[in-house]
Amino acid sequence: MAARPAHTPASQTPTMADVAQLAGVSHQTVSRVLNDQPNVRAETRARILDAIRELGYRPNSAARQLVTRRSQTLGVVSFDTTLYGPASMLYGIEQAARDADYFISIVSLRAMNRGSVLEAVDRLRDQAVEGVAVIAPQTSAAGVLAQAAAGVPLVGAGCGPAEQVPMVAIDQREGAAMATRHLLDLGHRTVHHVAGPVGWLDASGRAEGWRAELERAGRPVPPPLRGDWSARSGYAAGRALAADPDVTAIFCANDHMALGLLRAFHEAGRQVPAEVSVVGFDDIPESSYFTPPLSTVRQDFSELGRRSLELLLGRLENPAPPPAEHVLITPDLIVRASARPPA
Amino acid sequence: MAARPAHTPASQTPTMADVAQLAGVSHQTVSRVLNDQPNVRAETRARILDAIRELGYRPNSAARQLVTRRSQTLGVVSFDTTLYGPASMLYGIEQAARDADYFISIVSLRAMNRGSVLEAVDRLRDQAVEGVAVIAPQTSAAGVLAQAAAGVPLVGAGCGPAEQVPMVAIDQREGAAMATRHLLDLGHRTVHHVAGPVGWLDASGRAEGWRAELERAGRPVPPPLRGDWSARSGYAAGRALAADPDVTAIFCANDHMALGLLRAFHEAGRQVPAEVSVVGFDDIPESSYFTPPLSTVRQDFSELGRRSLELLLGRLENPAPPPAEHVLITPDLIVRASARPPA
DNA sequence: GACCGGGATGTTAGCGCTAACAATCGTCCC
DNA sequence: GGGACGATTGTTAGCGCTAACATCCCGGTC
């Protein structure tokens, strides 16, 4: 903050030795103050702190890292952080990491395949991260995680079940079952489903939950339509569904597709919720302003991020607890206006 | 990859010296191979590469960083990466950084104020980042950037004008003017505006562009309504506007507010676009599936991220080019169905 | 045949920090 | 009053790497 005094070359950032010299102590005492070690006289500590401030000294993290062998950095590998889910998880992880005094280094996946996950983890390891969290909600990721986990503590966030790897996920099956049950309870004979794309764990989990709930209730299981998460694909599914007069209830695998579907029904002149009920999944911030406001299933991504990080930090302290822990978070059904009893 | 041979203690990761010993050369030659230096015999190089593979050797980044004084890491400070804009910019920056062989370390801002930006940059500097990109689209950020830039190369991404700091931004005024002009060209007498929250650069830039365009055309400037970017606030503004029969054209400062507004008009029984035209801003992926599909202004966030990083890398090579460069990216008007000539 | 030049490799000296141990000083106890 | 003890501070030795310089060996030169 203050101007650099003459005894330190201006061209060069001050080192611990400079601080020590200015404070009239040895560099080790400076180190002790910096690391909050006991047995430093209060007055000495104050003098050192003054010297640090005067020189604008910053500890050299590389030097510390070299000797302590700790980088204070965690890596996050994520698929498309532009998506609502991954972005939210990343945010939750970052917040939790900061509270635990860790830095976060990110690598986004450009494509989803074994190689790119491995490469991303490798890149992070080159940077000496102490642990890695992977946000990769695709089926193909599940298999590769165990392999990636060799050599570095790793957890999955919102990933599917991989036996060897600890992970935190939202219970997609249960969430889908809740949505389906809600529609059934309203009095609908059965529920149609607009599913997410093949290869996504969330998509298959939701489809399974939907199917299981229909079967449990002994209802017919109509063939699901397949979307790709986008509103566009929901619109296409909606056009198909709107043409079928028997359809009275639809569970969409996410809110964006529900938006497109809503639009298709509107265009087709089929009223939601008067004629047809719709439930989504995600509870994106906009969904309460759809026409009509969308009933949906809320996932608490920030809790997911937080819990993943807790799990990872636990692993860091205790590298190999017996079995890989799997934490499942139950989502919440949010009831709005898009679903009601059949006419 | 192979099992660790006996001559290296299993408990300890191999060092360059281990590789050197196995290959029968000095550690310096190993270093030369790792750094792609010339003057190493092809055969020697191959032998060393084999040894590296056999031991599963990874260079110690801290040691390298200590001596080269380069961390190969760039920091990104961002406000709420859950939002569409910041998330997209972050993604663009990360991709560009990876191509340039840099790591990205992120710090999210919990609150938007001077202190938190400074603290975030400070945290990043403690980690020895070589440069910082700040994504903070608030007015309050503009002032603090110059201060934060002291001591570390820094660029703003999507931030407002700060004289001292180089930055890349999207031309909000021009985008808003395009939207307004589009509605005027359609034949509307004037255009109402639902603005973003006070304190946001994008909000004030868009309001200015809207106002300037109306004035240029000699049209009356109705008092703008104030929202907070959320669909909820757009809905509230929509209720107010729907009650006024004179309103025929509305420019919303973002697509989410336009969504809420669309819903309010629908509820009020006022047809869009038959009775009232609406244009948004952002072109979020969903906006083409609104009811009706939304005409809007598209911002290329990934280009913004890329350009910001280019600017930052430029600064790293040449610490202080004369004036701080400011790059403005012009957005595009996307015409869909939500605006048409007045009845 | 001694000399020179340059490619290939080895040796040495830190980078800035922490851990381990050594030294010093006062105080307390019998 | 002497020695033990604990609080405080200093000294030394690396952590694993790169930069700078030293060394070696070879073919080509005159």
Side-chain angles (χ1 to χ4, degrees), chain A residues 95 98 102 108 110 123, chain B residues 95 98 102 108 110 123:
Chain A
Q95 298 292 315
R98 176 136 46 122
Y102 275 92
S108 306
R110 292 184 161 151
R123 215 175 117 73
Chain B
Q95 298 292 316
R98 176 138 44 124
Y102 274 93
S108 308
R110 293 184 161 151
R123 213 175 118 73

Side-chain angles (χ1 to χ4, degrees), chain B residues 266-327:
Chain B
H266 178 80
E267 281 184 0
R270 295 199 63 187
Q271 308 269 334
V272 177
E275 297 175 49
V276 179
S277 289
V278 176
V279 175
F281 207 110
D282 271 355
D283 192 33
I284 60 175
E286 293 71 59
S287 55
S288 50
Y289 292 88
F290 287 0
T291 311
L294 187 68
S295 290
T296 188
V297 179
R298 174 181 296 164
Q299 314 186 67
D300 190 340
F301 289 116
S302 67
E303 180 180 357
L304 192 149
R306 206 166 355 99
R307 299 282 292 271
S308 313
L309 205 93
E310 276 170 23
L311 201 55
L312 183 54
L313 293 177
R315 290 272 153 164
L316 292 188
E317 284 163 16
N318 179 8
E325 302 150 76
H326 289 190
V327 178

Side-chain angles (χ1 to χ4, degrees), chain B residues 5-211:
Chain B
H7 54 79
T8 311
S11 64
Q12 180 172 309
T13 56
T15 77
M16 199 175 260
D18 297 322
V19 174
Q21 189 186 343
L22 182 59
V25 296
S26 77
H27 64 122
Q28 180 63 320
T29 302
V30 177
S31 170
R32 278 192 263 262
V33 169
L34 254 19
N35 293 299
D36 279 320
Q37 287 180 24
N39 299 346
V40 175
R41 204 148 34 109
E43 189 221 325
T44 310
R45 183 184 301 272
R47 199 146 31 91
I48 291 173
L49 257 16
D50 282 348
I52 288 174
R53 215 169 309 117
E54 183 175 343
L55 293 175
Y57 168 75
R58 269 170 204 278
N60 180 315
S61 65
R64 174 185 300 209
Q65 184 177 335
L66 182 57
V67 62
T68 62
R69 310 182 152 282
R70 306 208 51 199
S71 63
Q72 292 285 80
T73 301
L74 263 19
V76 176
V77 171
S78 172
F79 181 80
D80 196 353
T81 46
T82 278
L83 262 31
Y84 179 68
S88 305
M89 294 184 220
L90 173 60
Y91 188 71
I93 290 176
E94 196 274 339
Q95 298 292 316
R98 176 138 44 124
D99 288 338
D101 217 42
Y102 274 93
F103 293 102
I104 288 291
S105 187
I106 60 167
V107 176
S108 308
L109 260 19
R110 293 184 161 151
M112 188 55 231
N113 55 55
R114 298 181 70 82
S116 67
V117 173
L118 254 21
E119 183 193 317
V121 173
D122 221 56
R123 213 175 118 73
L124 254 8
R125 290 186 61 191
D126 283 343
Q127 206 196 0
V129 295
E130 293 180 34
V132 174
V134 178
I135 301 171
Q138 286 93 342
T139 353
S140 51
V144 80
L145 288 192
Q147 191 178 345
V152 68
L154 183 149
V155 302
C159 301
E163 291 68 32
Q164 321 287 357
V165 180
M167 58 180 40
V168 180
I170 285 161
D171 193 337
Q172 305 293 337
R173 294 184 57 127
E174 177 56 25
M178 287 164 69
T180 307
R181 197 177 315 134
H182 173 59
L183 288 164
L184 255 23
D185 287 351
L186 249 19
H188 293 277
R189 189 175 138 269
T190 188
V191 176
H192 286 69
H193 181 45
V194 179
V198 174
W200 285 67
L201 290 157
D202 295 350
S204 54
R206 290 168 201 174
E208 281 167 22
W210 159 77
R211 179 181 304 270

Side-chain angles (χ1 to χ4, degrees), chain A:
Chain A
M1 312 298 164
R4 205 180 302 285
H7 54 81
T8 311
S11 63
Q12 179 171 310
T13 57
T15 78
M16 200 176 260
D18 297 322
V19 174
Q21 190 187 343
L22 182 58
V25 296
S26 75
H27 64 123
Q28 180 62 318
T29 302
V30 177
S31 169
R32 280 192 263 261
V33 169
L34 253 21
N35 293 300
D36 278 320
Q37 287 179 23
N39 299 343
V40 175
R41 203 146 38 108
E43 189 221 326
T44 309
R45 182 183 302 271
R47 199 145 32 88
I48 291 172
L49 258 15
D50 282 347
I52 288 174
R53 216 169 309 117
E54 184 175 341
L55 293 176
Y57 168 74
R58 269 171 204 277
N60 181 316
S61 64
R64 174 183 299 206
Q65 184 178 334
L66 182 55
V67 62
T68 61
R69 312 182 150 283
R70 307 208 48 199
S71 64
Q72 294 285 77
T73 301
L74 263 19
V76 176
V77 171
S78 173
F79 181 79
D80 195 352
T81 46
T82 278
L83 262 30
Y84 179 68
S88 304
M89 294 185 220
L90 173 60
Y91 188 72
I93 290 175
E94 196 275 338
Q95 298 292 315
R98 176 136 46 122
D99 289 336
D101 218 42
Y102 275 92
F103 293 102
I104 288 292
S105 189
I106 60 169
V107 175
S108 306
L109 261 19
R110 292 184 161 151
M112 188 57 231
N113 54 56
R114 299 182 69 82
S116 68
V117 173
L118 253 21
E119 182 193 317
V121 172
D122 221 56
R123 215 175 117 73
L124 253 7
R125 290 186 62 189
D126 282 343
Q127 205 195 3
V129 295
E130 293 180 33
V132 174
V134 178
I135 302 172
Q138 285 94 341
T139 351
S140 51
V144 80
L145 288 192
Q147 191 178 346
V152 67
L154 183 149
V155 301
C159 301
E163 291 67 33
Q164 322 285 359
V165 179
M167 57 180 38
V168 180
I170 286 161
D171 193 338
Q172 305 294 338
R173 294 183 57 126
E174 178 55 24
M178 288 163 69
T180 307
R181 198 177 314 135
H182 173 60
L183 288 164
L184 256 22
D185 287 350
L186 248 20
H188 293 276
R189 188 174 138 270
T190 189
V191 176
H192 287 70
H193 181 45
V194 179
V198 173
W200 286 67
L201 289 157
D202 296 350
S204 54
R206 290 169 201 172
E208 281 166 22
W210 159 77
R211 179 183 303 271
E213 187 62 23
L214 285 184
E215 287 172 350
R216 207 187 58 80
R219 304 304 171 81
V221 180
L225 278 78
R226 184 71 67 179
D228 65 3
W229 298 134
S230 74
R232 169 179 300 272
S233 69
Y235 176 78
R239 285 180 67 113
L241 255 12
D244 180 350
D246 288 342
V247 173
T248 71
I250 303 167
F251 165 50
C252 286
N254 79 340
D255 288 356
H256 291 99
M257 293 197 294
L259 175 65
L261 181 135
L262 250 21
R263 180 165 148 60
F265 273 73
H266 178 80
E267 281 184 0
R270 295 199 61 187
Q271 307 270 332
V272 176
E275 297 174 51
V276 179
S277 290
V278 176
V279 175
F281 207 110
D282 271 355
D283 193 33
I284 61 175
E286 293 70 58
S287 55
S288 50
Y289 291 90
F290 286 1
T291 310
L294 187 69
S295 290
T296 187
V297 178
R298 174 181 296 163
Q299 315 187 66
D300 190 340
F301 289 116
S302 68
E303 180 180 356
L304 192 150
R306 208 166 353 100
R307 299 281 293 271
S308 316
L309 205 93
E310 276 171 23
L311 200 55
L312 183 54
L313 293 177
R315 290 272 153 163
L316 292 189
E317 284 162 17
N318 178 8
E325 302 150 75
H326 289 190
V327 178
L328 265 190
I329 298 173
T330 303
D332 300 311
L333 179 70
I334 307 293
V335 176
R336 297 204 183 91
S338 65
R340 67 158 70 150

